Amino acid sequence: MTGETTRPAAAADPEHWQRLDRRMLVIHPVQELVRALPGLLMVLLLNRDGEHRPLWAFGATALVLLLGIARWATTGYRVTPRRIMVRRGVLRRSVVSVPRDRVRSVDLSAPPVHRLLGLTRITIGTGQSDRKGEGLRLDSLSHTAAAGLRDELLGRAREAPAAPATAPVTDPAGAPATAPAAPARAADPEGTVLADWRPGWLRMGPYGLSGVLIAGTLLTLALRTLTDSRIDPGRLPAVSAVVDAVDGLAVPVRVAVLALACLLAVAALSTVGHLLVFWRFRLVRTPTGVLQVSRGLVSRRVIAIDEARLRGVEISEPLLLRLAGGARCIGITTGLRVGRGAERGGSLLVPPAPVAEVLAAARALLSEPTAADGPLERPAPAARRRRYTRALGGWAVLSALVLWLAPEWARPLPAVLLPLALLLAADRVRGLGHALAGRTLVVRRGSLVRRRHALDGAGVIGWNLRRSPFQRRAGLVTLTATTAAGHQKLSAQDLTDRQAMAVVLGLSPELLEPFLVRPDAPEPAAGRPGPAPDPA
């Protein structure tokens, strides 16, 4: 498939290897040149006194550019009815072959240079190859060819159903799944819009941690640049003006001004980061059951997820975002990579936004809409006591260390921390709960980061019950549902035995029935001989 190809991938001959877009002949050599830049500088330094220095520089640069061209010429892909194959490598050839029924998601991204040339980078998520770094990545195809390949791999090229399916379907792993059918928010030629970015979402930007990371990165780069350049920051006009302005202030005022300046800088950087990453965010459900997430200002990214593999959602509310009335929604999906953050892994379905809009999208995604914001069963008294015991126990240990090791001026610190410990315990109790919404398990916990998980019972493949020594004394248990989606488990903490058994019997009675002894079971008749012993 060349740069001029406008047919979808399904129209290509599956017996022939397709090449990347020809416009990558511009990008690949430049990429190789950037990678080899330290080596080229080393060549110039080693031959700075030689008379053939220009020749060495020209030869090394030409070799790197040829490697970039060879990279394009040796990279190809092939899509057959059963498999997708990618081959690459100049000196070391490799071929990656994956069954098409293992494809979980297709991620289309376009960095600025790619967008300028009309190219799109494709990353195919399979649940296996994407854990090894590059995985099944094609860099790059034209926009039309990339969209056609995505449609082919996720089955969008087939005829769309007349209405959203509500009957159970079965994924290739054999686990039944119910295709969610929820009320539409808005009509769109390409599907149903479940979430759409608005300028009002920008007010959630300052409450994220991206500003802290950006500020730390910029500060580190600035300090390193000043150190390498041997520049004294105190001699810079801007720094001198700031120092002179705060020099005459009292120490408490100086600390308050510095803290306020840092807070404003972090909030501004967080807002800019939110704008760059989530500009024109849109979550769309296509008529063929594909969730399509698109976002980005400078680098545009489009992620397509097969909705049949969606097993539930997680509504996450970090403390600052919760105080601002916001939340975010993360998908619990089989095969989608985890551990790199929801944003990088592609499982983020709704970014930080007003909680009402997040809940509306979650209700549209779940097979049981009430699981998004329905009432939860209150924790047992013993579970509530454990939250206070933990908070006060930590406060007691910290207070003892302060009284033993801290200087005299820090002695009042335990009295200040006691109300905070009690508030933390009360908030943890308020955030603890679980429920069964139809065939959906709902679990909520956390204070600094409150998370509400809604997991479809069809995605549960087993149960694990465990007790710590303290739970055993309190008559509590931690119930963990094992699943192939997300982090492969969902734990409901500090349930009573009756609550845990009710959850298991409500979702997977067939797993527990063989181990139950019912008190109303009929006793064997008196005098009736039992079964004959096994001769073996």
Side-chain angles (χ1 to χ4, degrees):
M1 186 176 296
T2 62
E4 294 76 21
T5 302
T6 58
R7 300 174 300 170
D13 187 356
E15 298 301 324
H16 293 83
W17 289 92
Q18 310 297 317
R19 284 186 175 178
L20 304 178
D21 195 280
R22 291 177 180 174
R23 283 166 285 189
M24 288 305 297
L25 289 171
V26 178
I27 298 180
H28 276 163
V30 175
Q31 291 176 338
E32 295 295 338
L33 191 61
V34 172
R35 293 176 184 175
L37 191 58
L40 294 176
L41 293 177
M42 185 64 66
V43 170
L44 293 177
L45 290 176
L46 292 176
N47 294 273
R48 58 184 177 181
D49 297 329
E51 57 183 52
H52 300 295
R53 180 183 179 187
L55 185 61
W56 277 99
F58 176 78
T61 304
L63 179 61
V64 171
L65 294 177
L66 287 176
L67 286 176
I69 297 174
R71 177 183 170 190
W72 173 85
T74 57
T75 302
Y77 69 97
R78 183 167 68 180
V79 180
T80 69
R82 290 182 172 271
R83 309 186 73 84
I84 176 171
M85 291 169 279
V86 176
R87 67 179 182 186
R88 61 171 64 93
V90 179
L91 301 179
R92 182 182 176 182
R93 302 282 290 170
S94 65
V95 178
V96 180
S97 179
V98 175
R100 287 181 55 176
D101 59 13
R102 296 291 301 174
V103 175
R104 272 37 175 179
S105 63
V106 179
D107 186 345
L108 306 184
S109 59
V113 177
H114 289 65
R115 293 183 68 182
L116 185 63
L117 296 177
L119 297 174
T120 300
R121 180 186 298 161
I122 305 177
T123 303
I124 301 169
T126 63
Q128 296 293 329
S129 61
D130 44 354
R131 293 191 179 99
K132 301 177 183 178
E134 188 174 0
L136 288 180
R137 173 176 291 185
L138 298 175
D139 187 13
S140 291
L141 303 179
S142 66
H143 292 331
T144 304
L149 181 58
R150 176 195 62 197
D151 296 348
E152 171 67 9
L153 293 178
L154 293 179
R156 286 183 59 190
R158 64 179 182 270
E159 183 179 358
T166 56
V169 296
T170 304
D171 65 11
T178 303
R185 262 194 57 184
D188 189 89
E190 296 185 358
T192 303
V193 179
L194 304 182
D196 201 1
W197 189 88
R198 295 185 297 103
W201 291 17
L202 275 179
R203 66 183 180 89
M204 300 298 167
Y207 302 98
L209 295 178
S210 59
V212 178
L213 300 177
I214 297 174
T217 303
L218 293 178
L219 182 61
T220 302
L221 290 175
L223 292 178
R224 179 173 297 180
T225 302
L226 293 175
T227 302
D228 294 342
S229 304
R230 298 181 180 180
I231 298 176
D232 184 9
R235 296 182 179 180
L236 297 175
V239 177
S240 300
V242 172
V243 171
D244 294 339
V246 301
D247 193 35
L249 300 176
V251 174
V253 178
R254 195 181 304 174
V255 172
V257 170
L258 181 61
L260 180 61
C262 292
L263 185 63
L264 293 177
V266 168
L269 291 174
S270 296
T271 304
V272 172
H274 181 98
L275 185 65
L276 292 176
V277 176
F278 300 118
W279 170 258
R280 291 178 58 194
F281 178 94
R282 173 172 279 201
L283 172 64
V284 178
R285 172 190 284 139
T286 68
T288 51
V290 174
L291 295 176
Q292 186 170 299
V293 179
S294 56
R295 56 182 172 84
L297 178 61
V298 178
S299 296
R300 193 68 180 166
R301 188 177 181 187
V302 180
I303 306 168
I305 305 171
D306 187 357
E307 192 175 9
R309 302 184 185 279
L310 186 70
R311 295 292 178 261
V313 299
E314 171 192 330
I315 300 174
S316 176
E317 299 175 279
L319 180 59
L320 294 179
L321 189 61
R322 186 166 78 246
L323 294 177
R328 61 179 184 167
C329 182
I330 301 170
I332 304 176
T333 309
T334 58
L336 207 59
R337 65 178 181 260
V338 294
R340 301 183 184 182
E343 181 184 321
R344 291 189 59 191
S347 58
L348 184 67
L349 297 180
V350 182
V355 66
E357 300 194 38
V358 174
L359 292 178
R363 285 191 292 266
L365 291 168
L366 291 170
S367 57
E368 184 60 47
T370 59
D373 55 353
L376 302 179
E377 184 174 346
R378 287 175 53 84
R384 297 197 292 269
R385 285 195 301 269
R386 273 175 56 82
R387 267 62 197 164
Y388 284 96
T389 301
R390 287 181 175 183
L392 294 177
W395 170 83
V397 172
L398 183 60
S399 299
L401 292 176
V402 168
L403 295 176
W404 182 28
L405 301 175
E408 188 69 25
W409 61 267
R411 297 299 173 87
L413 188 60
V416 176
L417 293 179
L418 179 58
L420 296 179
L422 293 176
L423 287 175
L424 178 63
D427 193 57
R428 293 190 66 197
V429 170
R430 193 180 302 111
L432 188 64
H434 75 284
L436 281 181
R439 291 278 300 167
T440 302
L441 172 63
V442 184
V443 176
R444 188 181 67 185
R445 65 176 183 270
S447 176
L448 298 180
V449 180
R450 180 169 295 171
R451 294 182 173 92
R452 180 182 179 121
H453 298 83
L455 178 64
D456 195 331
V460 177
I461 58 178
W463 299 94
N464 180 19
L465 290 89
R466 71 176 186 275
R467 302 176 192 263
S468 68
F470 300 102
Q471 285 179 313
R472 192 178 300 116
R473 292 189 58 184
L476 300 174
V477 64
T478 295
L479 176 66
T480 301
T482 57
T483 177
H487 292 276
Q488 283 80 53
K489 64 179 181 179
L490 175 59
S491 297
Q493 297 177 346
D494 292 343
L495 304 183
T496 63
D497 292 341
R498 184 178 298 275
Q499 289 174 330
M501 292 303 101
V503 170
V504 177
L505 288 175
L507 289 182
S508 308
E510 68 282 356
L511 296 179
L512 200 59
E513 284 287 352
F515 303 98
L516 293 179
V517 178
R518 301 190 179 278
D520 55 348
E523 294 286 341
R528 181 178 298 176
D534 189 349

